[in-house]
Amino acid sequence: MSKRVLLLLGPNLNMVGQREKNIYGSETAETINGDVRRWADELGLDIEIFQSNCEGELISKIHSALGGKDGIIINAGAYTHYSYAIRDAIACVPKIPTIEVHMSNIHAREEFRHKSVIAASCVGQICGFGKFSYKLALQALKDIFESEE
């Protein structure tokens, strides 16, 4: 049975390809999600992709991962920097390894983006590699799963 991964995408990530092309590029969220699905398939992972602009929906999805998912990749968007509620939701599911991901290098952007309040609840953080940040996170989860066997 393949491992089940939940990719959570936070606010405004549905607008990738239209917003701030100098930061996020011109590829659309749909084409990036297609690449993520292909990469997951190549790694033998079963992936569900969920995007929401609503904090509560993201929290409910994290809670629902308990018993149903083996790993979580989260790009919480701006919630990364101030949502203690999302941080606490990740902490509620400690047996599910969670990786924080950002397409841009948050540490090279505006000062308020340098701090992640969710990082401490995650096993790691990957940022700055564009859509390939997701590919790196998928590989990292696969490596974690294999090390547990």
Side-chain angles (χ1 to χ4, degrees):
M1 180 175 178
S2 63
K3 295 291 187 176
R4 300 156 300 174
V5 175
L6 174 62
L7 171 58
L8 290 175
L9 302 168
N12 302 309
L13 289 165
N14 57 311
M15 300 301 289
V16 169
Q18 299 174 44
R19 65 178 278 220
E20 300 170 291
K21 291 182 182 184
N22 59 318
I23 295 171
Y24 299 105
S26 58
E27 269 193 89
T28 66
E30 292 77 21
T31 61
I32 292 170
N33 289 347
D35 287 337
V36 169
R37 285 186 182 90
R38 180 174 48 83
W39 295 328
D41 189 53
E42 289 169 358
L43 292 169
L45 302 172
D46 179 29
I47 192 156
E48 175 186 353
I49 300 173
F50 179 80
Q51 188 278 328
S52 178
N53 295 315
C54 301
E55 184 179 34
E57 290 180 5
L58 295 167
I59 291 165
S60 293
K61 202 68 172 171
I62 293 166
H63 292 171
S64 72
L66 198 57
K69 301 295 181 198
D70 301 296
I72 298 172
I73 298 168
I74 183 168
N75 182 341
Y79 289 138
T80 298
H81 315 294
Y82 65 88
S83 179
Y84 294 103
I86 289 177
R87 178 252 175 249
D88 289 350
I90 295 167
C92 286
V93 295
K95 295 185 188 262
I96 303 175
T98 300
I99 298 175
E100 177 186 344
V101 170
H102 301 281
M103 292 176 60
S104 68
N105 180 351
I106 61 172
H107 305 287
R109 294 187 61 193
E110 303 93 336
E111 181 69 30
F112 76 90
R113 295 186 196 274
H114 296 185
K115 172 128 174 84
S116 167
V117 299
I118 69 171
S121 294
C122 296
V123 296
Q125 179 190 76
I126 299 169
C127 67
F129 297 97
K131 70 179 182 178
F132 298 106
S133 294
Y134 299 115
K135 185 177 188 180
L136 293 168
L138 287 166
Q139 183 62 59
L141 278 180
K142 182 171 175 68
D143 292 346
I144 289 169
F145 298 149
E146 289 176 352
S147 73
E148 294 173 346
E149 292 178 354

